[in-house]
Amino acid sequence: MKMVYKVLYILMGLVILSMGSATLQSAGLGVDPFTAFNIGLSIKLGFTLGHTQLMINLILFAFVVVFRKKSIGIGTVLNMVLVGYFIQYFIEIFTPFYSAHSFFDQLIALVVGILLFTLGATMYQIMDMGQSPYDAIAPILSEILDATYKTVRQLQDVIVVVAAFLLSGPIGVGTVICAFGTGSLISKWAQVLPR
């Protein structure tokens, strides 16, 4: 029964995270670096976001299997398979609501999007049932390169943002906040959320 609760909690977190990302994208504010990269790549390849993100996740997953199997859990698989499709679904629903793009609308979307994104990310993480393939890369590389996790993760996000930019992915203030400014908010959510 506890396992069922954890899986449902993770699924709810992934849905909320995806709603936050889709809110930012629909309002034209950019999304987290990994999603921005996948959206740009999906446009270049002519695939859906869900298919593209799954494909990239499978490549990263193979790397994780080789170097850090302990990072893999049911949460890894759920994140890897579902998030791209969830974001794609919510973008299609939310985009018509943000056609005006007034500054006030965008400000509200920024706050709501970041709150939802960090809430969902926290719900997913605190169940401790595996990291997403993208999140597992920095710990692996920090061990291989004998560097701090923070340095490697920031470098990873910068590289992915640059790649997203080159692919014409949706980069914006939401991307910067998701990459570098959400840690403290996730910590706050972790203090108040039930487990």
Side-chain angles (χ1 to χ4, degrees):
M1 198 66 183
K2 189 174 182 181
M3 176 64 75
V4 173
Y5 169 78
K6 285 189 169 188
V7 169
L8 291 175
Y9 200 89
I10 288 171
L11 284 171
M12 189 182 305
L14 296 179
V15 168
I16 293 170
L17 177 153
S18 301
M19 289 174 69
S21 188
T23 297
L24 294 169
Q25 165 63 4
S26 300
L29 298 168
V31 291
D32 62 279
F34 186 56
T35 304
F37 169 78
N38 285 313
I39 289 175
L41 185 61
S42 71
I43 294 169
K44 295 294 184 186
L45 295 177
F47 297 160
T48 65
L49 170 61
H51 291 349
T52 303
Q53 190 148 320
L54 177 59
M55 177 182 68
I56 297 300
N57 270 328
L58 287 171
I59 294 169
L60 297 178
F61 182 72
F63 182 78
V64 176
V65 167
V66 171
F67 290 100
R68 197 180 174 93
K69 287 182 184 176
K70 65 181 180 180
S71 298
I72 299 171
I74 191 166
T76 308
V77 177
L78 293 173
N79 184 302
M80 177 174 72
V81 174
L82 298 175
V83 170
Y85 294 103
F86 284 167
I87 294 173
Q88 176 185 317
Y89 173 74
F90 287 119
I91 287 174
E92 291 171 1
I93 292 175
F94 293 168
T95 298
F97 292 100
Y98 290 99
S99 56
H101 290 314
S102 74
F103 175 75
F104 184 69
D105 289 342
Q106 288 190 307
L107 190 60
I108 291 174
L110 178 64
V111 173
V112 171
I114 293 298
L115 287 174
L116 288 174
F117 181 84
T118 53
L119 172 60
T122 308
M123 291 176 68
Y124 165 75
Q125 291 173 15
I126 63 176
M127 288 296 100
D128 197 26
M129 294 187 69
Q131 294 177 294
S132 71
Y134 181 78
D135 289 333
I137 296 299
I140 293 170
L141 291 179
S142 64
E143 289 178 5
I144 293 172
L145 301 172
D146 193 26
T148 66
Y149 167 79
K150 184 178 180 181
T151 300
V152 174
R153 179 58 191 248
Q154 287 180 344
L155 182 60
Q156 174 183 327
D157 284 335
V158 167
I159 290 170
V160 174
V161 167
V162 171
F165 176 77
L166 294 174
L167 290 167
S168 302
I171 303 297
V173 64
T175 309
V176 176
I177 294 173
C178 286
F180 304 111
T182 57
S184 59
L185 196 49
I186 287 174
S187 297
K188 294 292 185 187
W189 281 122
Q191 292 172 15
V192 298
L193 285 174
R195 286 169 168 78

